[in-house]
Amino acid sequence: MGLKREIKFFITCQRYNWLSFLAYRMQAFVWLSLNALFILYGILTVTIIYGVSSGISGWSYYQMLFLIGTTGITVNAVWYLCNPNGLVRQLRSGKLDSTFLRPYSRLNIMLSASGNVDNSTTAISSLIMMAYAASKIGVDAAGMLLYAALMAAGISAFVLFVMALSVLAYLLIRGANFVNGVLNFMSSSSKYPLSIFGFAGQLIFTLLLPIGIASYYPAEFVLGRLSLSSAALVFVLALLVGAASYVLFHKFMKGYVGGGG
Amino acid sequence: MRVSLRQAFAYKLDFIFTLILGLLVSLVMIFVWYAVYANSGVSSIGGLSLNAMYVYFFMVNALSFITYNAAVAQTMQEDVQTGAVSTAMARPIGYNTNLFLNSLSVAIVGGLTVTLPMLLIAIVLSHTAVSPAALGLLLIEVLLSFAITTCIGYVIGTLSIYFVNIWGIINLTGFVYYFLGGSLAPLSLFPKWLANILMLLPSQLMMYTPAATLLGIIPMDEIIREIAVGAVWLAALVLFTLLWLRRISRRVVAVGG
């Protein structure tokens, strides 16, 4: 019953977010179109790299496109749900204080209030590119299903991680512009195989900044580079990161004493 | 200038972390190209050594803080939305002049706090020999790019009179600049036909040509030609912007509250 109510609240907020966004139709159209084009950055970079060289060791052109598409879906799903800088600005100005009095979970309220609906088109264009690359590579349906499950677990964990980090940033430095920067940095990094960053880099992007569990490892699995048992470990890791982030989020929120003036 | 500095440092740690992350984004491309060079087993791709590629991405990132002026359009949009445009236009200093000086101070602050230190780090670490002539040409290119993007900023900013919210258009402009200006890869690595077209656009002055000038990877006559291309664009844009602003100022009806 409680979960049903939370979901209903979330959907209502999404509807409101979309209506607010569409209030300025021209800018909404430009935003959505522009965001759909962002995927071109990755495509063009990889096309140039593979046009002038033999590319990155062990990765074909279409496998790289698949990875870029996967990262695009992951990162933009996270952006859709939370914008750390926007969230911290709302906490700072006390805009959420009255909403916190409502009978919904704080996490749900904050997720509903801070996302960017316009990132949906980037996620969709990434999905299209991922599907195109998958068709070129020849990925089987069962593999794709497991890939989707791994990604869903990874994205959930990653969203919780970003939320916890945003609240921590608010408590420590009252700003989260840098958390947006962290997200952009992870987005740029995970478009490429994590192996290029060496063992230390791979460890950082798996445990410290867990974008790897949401995009790189699912992509590796579907491309046949990761065994089923390793994929299961990634799934468990996603659950652990998600649970730890959830606990930390609530712990950090205890330090919130209301904003604004 | 003082106001811009204060705004930039309002949340000091946030500002510093953001800068560090800007550097890290350059590092990503450095890792990528290191892997590409290692896999290809060559010392040079498109006439660029691995070392030059490293420096290129550092410079491109650093230069974007001063060669692209987004502040004019952003401020105009805010002024139209809040109605502040009416009081701003009533001030003794002209509105457009005020906008220009404001955006210039933002660029100077960006230049002093980000671009200059990053360029120095890139030059020192890579042992790149930079001649005084290259520095002079770089300055001209940066000023030209700033002036061109300022003119475009005025035109884009006035669109807020029609559409009120123009964040999408402002970001679209930025996207086009970054996309075509050489932030993805040096323009010399693009297919020849595409590179030739891009070199005729003003966006080449934003990142590629200044970075290539400092690195010394394009000959002097080509640099002069690119500066000339930029100057022609600037002349045309100044003329168009002045005419456009004169025409559009009649349509300003301030509200807000």
Side-chain angles (χ1 to χ4, degrees):
Chain A
M1 194 66 180
L3 182 66
K4 197 176 164 189
R5 206 185 48 184
E6 295 281 349
I7 292 170
K8 201 173 165 191
F9 173 74
F10 180 79
I11 292 170
T12 308
C13 287
Q14 290 308 308
R15 195 163 161 261
Y16 171 76
N17 290 345
W18 271 104
L19 286 174
S20 314
F21 177 68
L22 293 171
Y24 296 105
R25 281 169 209 277
M26 178 63 188
Q27 77 102 16
F29 172 75
V30 176
W31 261 126
L32 292 173
S33 313
L34 171 66
N35 280 348
L37 294 176
F38 272 135
I39 195 77
L40 288 177
Y41 268 128
I43 298 174
L44 197 60
T45 306
V46 168
T47 306
I48 289 169
I49 288 174
Y50 279 78
V52 296
S53 71
S54 45
I56 293 171
S57 177
W59 285 77
S60 70
Y61 175 70
Y62 286 109
Q63 285 177 334
M64 285 297 297
L65 290 189
F66 186 85
L67 181 60
I68 290 173
T70 304
T71 303
I73 297 167
T74 302
V75 172
N76 288 289
V78 175
W79 276 119
Y80 182 92
L81 289 167
C82 65
N83 169 2
N85 199 30
L87 179 67
V88 167
R89 255 188 281 138
Q90 292 193 61
L91 288 175
R92 216 161 51 197
S93 62
K95 270 187 183 170
L96 291 176
D97 290 357
S98 58
T99 326
F100 282 151
L101 297 174
R102 291 182 186 168
Y104 303 105
S105 81
R106 286 193 167 187
L107 180 65
N108 195 8
I109 288 171
M110 287 162 81
L111 280 175
S112 304
S114 71
N116 297 321
V117 292
D118 49 299
N119 277 79
S120 52
T121 47
T122 324
I124 291 167
S125 58
S126 302
L127 182 72
I128 292 168
M129 199 183 72
M130 183 275 291
Y132 170 72
S135 71
K136 288 284 180 185
I137 298 164
V139 177
D140 63 284
M144 286 303 281
L145 273 177
L146 283 170
Y147 158 84
L150 270 178
M151 267 184 86
I155 290 172
S156 308
F158 196 51
V159 167
L160 289 167
F161 169 80
V162 173
M163 292 300 282
L165 190 64
S166 305
V167 180
L168 181 65
Y170 168 76
L171 292 179
L172 296 180
I173 56 173
R174 290 287 187 266
N177 206 16
F178 95 93
V179 183
N180 281 30
V182 169
L183 259 178
N184 282 330
F185 170 58
M186 285 192 276
S187 165
S188 306
S189 317
S190 57
K191 276 192 286 196
Y192 306 100
L194 293 185
S195 53
I196 67 168
F197 301 109
F199 178 70
Q202 205 158 339
L203 211 59
I204 288 170
F205 289 116
T206 305
L207 298 174
L208 196 63
L209 304 170
I211 180 83
I213 57 172
S215 69
Y216 178 65
Y217 296 114
E220 274 222 310
F221 170 70
V222 88
L223 295 174
R225 298 160 177 274
L226 206 66
S227 65
L228 195 60
S229 56
S230 302
L233 270 178
V234 172
F235 189 80
V236 171
L237 185 63
L239 295 182
L240 287 174
V241 169
S245 302
Y246 184 79
V247 170
L248 285 173
F249 168 81
H250 284 291
K251 193 175 163 63
F252 295 150
M253 275 309 285
K254 281 184 185 160
Y256 177 72
V257 286
Chain B
M1 179 97 160
R2 220 163 35 201
V3 172
S4 299
L5 266 171
R6 283 192 178 173
Q7 281 173 345
F9 290 107
Y11 297 98
K12 291 183 194 68
L13 274 176
D14 202 26
F15 179 77
I16 291 164
F17 284 142
T18 309
L19 279 188
I20 293 169
L21 282 162
L23 285 171
L24 289 178
V25 171
S26 303
L27 277 180
V28 171
M29 290 315 291
I30 287 170
F31 272 106
V32 170
W33 282 98
Y34 175 78
V36 170
Y37 274 78
N39 186 41
S40 303
V42 291
S43 59
S44 155
I45 293 177
L48 285 162
S49 67
L50 181 58
N51 195 36
M53 198 66 91
Y54 289 165
V55 184
Y56 178 82
F57 281 105
F58 250 91
M59 286 182 173
V60 156
N61 202 359
L63 286 165
S64 64
F65 283 86
I66 51 168
T67 52
Y68 175 49
N69 181 3
V72 165
Q74 284 168 3
T75 313
M76 281 175 108
Q77 177 192 229
E78 281 161 24
D79 288 348
V80 168
Q81 283 178 351
T82 59
V85 66
S86 55
T87 47
M89 285 181 110
R91 284 181 190 146
I93 185 168
Y95 180 63
N96 294 329
T97 313
N98 193 18
L99 273 179
F100 175 72
L101 291 176
N102 179 44
S103 64
L104 185 65
S105 65
V106 171
I108 291 172
V109 168
L112 292 176
T113 56
V114 184
T115 310
L116 200 59
M118 277 177 78
L119 282 182
L120 285 174
I121 290 169
I123 289 167
V124 170
L125 289 182
S126 63
H127 306 291
T128 307
V130 180
S131 66
L135 280 178
L137 289 168
L138 173 79
L139 188 66
I140 294 169
E141 289 159 357
V142 166
L143 289 175
L144 268 176
S145 179
F146 183 78
I148 287 169
T149 55
T150 302
C151 288
I152 294 172
Y154 276 116
V155 176
I156 301 285
T158 54
L159 295 181
S160 59
I161 295 166
Y162 297 101
F163 304 119
V164 185
N165 193 325
I166 53 163
W167 271 115
I169 301 170
I170 293 171
N171 279 282
L172 178 65
T173 319
F175 174 76
V176 171
Y177 262 114
Y178 283 93
F179 201 73
L180 306 179
S183 71
L184 302 174
L187 298 186
S188 56
L189 297 186
F190 282 56
K192 190 77 181 158
W193 63 271
L194 184 57
N196 286 340
I197 294 172
L198 294 179
M199 293 308 278
L200 291 174
L201 300 177
S203 51
Q204 47 91 7
L205 276 172
M206 194 177 142
M207 293 173 183
Y208 174 69
T209 306
T213 303
L214 270 186
L215 281 168
I217 54 173
I218 49 174
M220 185 63 82
D221 59 330
E222 203 176 316
I223 296 172
I224 303 291
R225 196 179 66 217
E226 299 317 332
I227 289 176
V229 167
V232 170
W233 272 104
L234 179 61
L237 281 167
V238 166
L239 192 66
F240 176 75
T241 308
L242 288 174
L243 290 172
W244 176 257
L245 287 176
R246 208 162 66 179
R247 185 185 149 90
I248 210 78
S249 61
R250 289 194 285 263
R251 295 188 68 98
V252 178
V253 181
V255 282

